[in-house]
Structure formats: structure tokens, C-alpha cells
Amino acid sequence: MVVRVDLSISLDGFATTTDQTPELPFGEDWSRLVSAFAATRTVRERVFKDMSGEERPYGVVLPAINTTGVDDEYAKAYFANVGAEIIGAGMFGLHNFPDDPNWRGWWGDEPPFQCPVFVLTHNPRPSIEMSGGTTFRFLNTNIEDALHQAFGAAKGKDVRVGGGPTVVRDFLKAGLVDRLHVAIAPILLGRGIRLWDDLRGLEAGYSVKAETAESGTIHVTFQR
Ligand SMILES: NC(=O)c1ccc[n+]([C@@H]2O[C@H](COP(=O)([O-])OP(=O)(O)OC[C@H]3O[C@@H](n4cnc5c(N)ncnc54)[C@H](OP(=O)(O)O)[C@@H]3O)[C@@H](O)[C@H]2O)c1
């Protein structure tokens, strides 16, 4: 049972995007940031319910899809053995819909988590049960207690701190993360919330591995 983080960041270190508009609620930058992850066969099937399996690899003119290379190996690992997840109010979307008691998050009727998800917020609300095994539970507590509750729910599996960067940084600063995987997309965002701020010397105590995927994404893993 380990505490894991898996995040996508830009070359300049940003884990959030800033070009959202009412017409384009995710903006264009979000799809640039996660395009390699979203193109993997694992994500196509699990998140987008695309079972066609037809692969279009990198190196052709059209965007790659259903990829089965290095990015897909990381995508498979991303979904494996997670028993509970902790996320922040920002990642759930509470900051955008603070006054809507019926807001059920960005993640659709059948969110991809498929486990208990603990949402850290100073404005907790009743739990929401979604289809596919995801339950959102809202906690106003410190990160150590959130972790204790998540391990209690994880049934012997790992706990992922899913994001966003504000919550992830708190767990990293407190030394609570056993494995940090960052997928560094070969794009520049120029602004947003940076993952690495105030984490000088974070690498101490971890062994570090880096691998470059066909998409140009660099997967860096810090493992205790
Ligand atoms: N790049 C990636 O892989 C990735 C992954 C996930 C998410 N994201 C992006 O990250 C963004 C959100 O990140 P973010 O950094 O802005 O926010 P966040 O980390 O999701 O949430 C931070 C908020 O959570 C609440 N919170 C944190 N710790 C708490 C505690 N101990 N007790 C009670 N409440 C606590 C606070 O909100 P309140 O005080 O308002 O309650 C705080 O402002 C989204 O845009 C999402 O798209 C990116």
C-alpha cells in the first residue's frame, strides 16, 4: 500500500491551464496537456468507452489514437491497484460551482475513478454515489487524517493523491508521497499553477527514473 501521485505537467512545469471560457470549459490547453495520455488505448477504452481498438501511431499526419507504446504502459499503471483517491476542491470543480448544491463534478455519470474519492474542501457537502463504483466524500480535515481515512477505504490497495497541484504539493511537502510520476508533455503553457514551486530538494530520498515516449512525453518517476 503506497501513496501515489500521477500528474501531467508542461515543460515549464504547469499542472493547470488558464484558457477556459464558458463556451470552452476545458479550454484548448487542457487537451494539449493530456493529449498523449488521452490517446492511449487504455484511456480510450476506460474513459471514452471507445472499444474500436484501431491504432493510429505517432509519425503520421493525423493525431495518434489508441496508442499502445510507452504512454499506454504508464496509462495501464495509472489505473492499476488504486483503492482510494484524494483530490482537492479545485479538481472536483467546487470552485467553479460553489453555490450549486447539485453539482456532481466534471467527471460524468460514470467517473473513471471507480473507487472512493475523498474531496478536500472547507465547504463539505453530503456524499455522492456515482455509477461504476465511484463515491465522492467531502472532507474538511488535515491531509494526514484524509490519508488515514483513504487507507481505511482502500481495502489494501494504494491511495492516489489525484490533484490538483495545490493538494499534491501539500502532500509532497509533508513527505507523504511514496511514488511520484510526472508525465511532462512537450508543450509550453506559460502560466497556471506550477507543480514544483517551494519543493527545493524534493528528489532527496527518492530514486529517479526517466523514460521518453513516442509522443515526446517524458515520464519521470520518483520512487522511495
Ligand atoms: N495536470 C494534471 O495531471 C491534473 C490533475 C488533476 C487536476 N488538475 C487540474 O488542477 C486544477 C485544480 O487544482 P488546484 O491546485 O487549483 O486545486 P486543488 O488542489 O484541486 O484544490 C485545492 C483546494 O482544495 C481545498 N483544500 C485543500 N486542502 C484542504 C484541507 N486540508 N482541508 C479542506 N480543504 C482543503 C481548498 O479549497 P476550499 O478552501 O475552497 O474548500 C483548496 O483551495 C484543475 O484545473 C484541474 O484541471 C490537473
Side-chain angles (χ1 to χ4, degrees):
M1 292 172 82
V2 301
V3 180
R4 290 162 49 180
V5 170
D6 297 89
L7 276 193
S8 295
I9 63 172
S10 59
L11 272 182
D12 45 351
F14 294 107
T16 60
T17 57
T18 55
D19 67 335
Q20 292 84 350
T21 62
E23 296 75 37
L24 269 179
F26 286 90
E28 287 177 357
D29 283 347
W30 183 251
S31 52
R32 292 170 66 220
L33 183 62
V34 298
S35 66
F37 183 60
T40 61
R41 176 163 297 173
T42 299
V43 172
R44 295 298 309 169
E45 291 181 356
R46 172 138 176 171
V47 181
F48 299 110
K49 316 290 179 211
D50 168 10
M51 300 301 175
S52 71
E54 195 185 322
E55 181 173 3
R56 202 157 62 210
Y58 285 93
V60 296
V61 176
L62 293 167
I65 202 162
N66 275 315
T67 59
T68 55
V70 173
D71 288 326
D72 194 46
E73 291 307 312
Y74 281 91
K76 283 184 206 155
Y78 179 92
F79 289 110
N81 204 46
V82 176
E85 187 131 351
I86 299 170
I87 68 175
M91 177 166 167
F92 182 77
L94 283 180
H95 290 165
N96 304 73
F97 296 87
D99 302 322
D100 180 357
N102 299 318
W103 171 242
R104 291 163 73 84
W106 298 114
W107 306 93
D109 292 334
E110 196 179 324
F113 306 101
Q114 299 177 6
C115 66
V117 177
F118 295 87
V119 183
L120 284 169
T121 174
H122 293 101
N123 299 291
R125 48 179 71 196
S127 299
I128 310 174
E129 197 129 348
M130 312 293 287
S131 352
T134 300
T135 309
F136 292 113
R137 303 185 199 167
F138 299 85
L139 294 181
N140 182 3
T141 188
N142 58 59
I143 55 175
E144 290 79 5
D145 180 51
L147 197 53
H148 180 72
Q149 294 198 42
F151 269 127
K155 297 189 179 143
K157 294 184 173 177
D158 298 342
V159 170
R160 183 192 347 261
V161 182
T166 304
V167 162
V168 165
R169 266 206 319 252
D170 286 348
F171 278 84
L172 289 170
K173 270 188 216 157
L176 294 173
V177 177
D178 301 304
R179 189 165 85 226
L180 165 65
H181 160 235
V182 283
I184 306 174
I187 62 163
L188 296 168
L189 289 176
R191 59 189 178 172
I193 300 179
R194 230 190 265 276
L195 174 62
W196 302 123
D197 283 357
D198 302 321
L199 291 174
R200 179 175 178 274
L202 173 79
E203 66 282 355
Y206 290 100
S207 58
V208 184
K209 181 180 103 173
E211 199 173 2
T212 305
E214 298 82 351
S215 60
T217 304
I218 305 164
H219 294 271
V220 181
T221 306
F222 296 76
Q223 173 84 51
R224 232 198 272 286

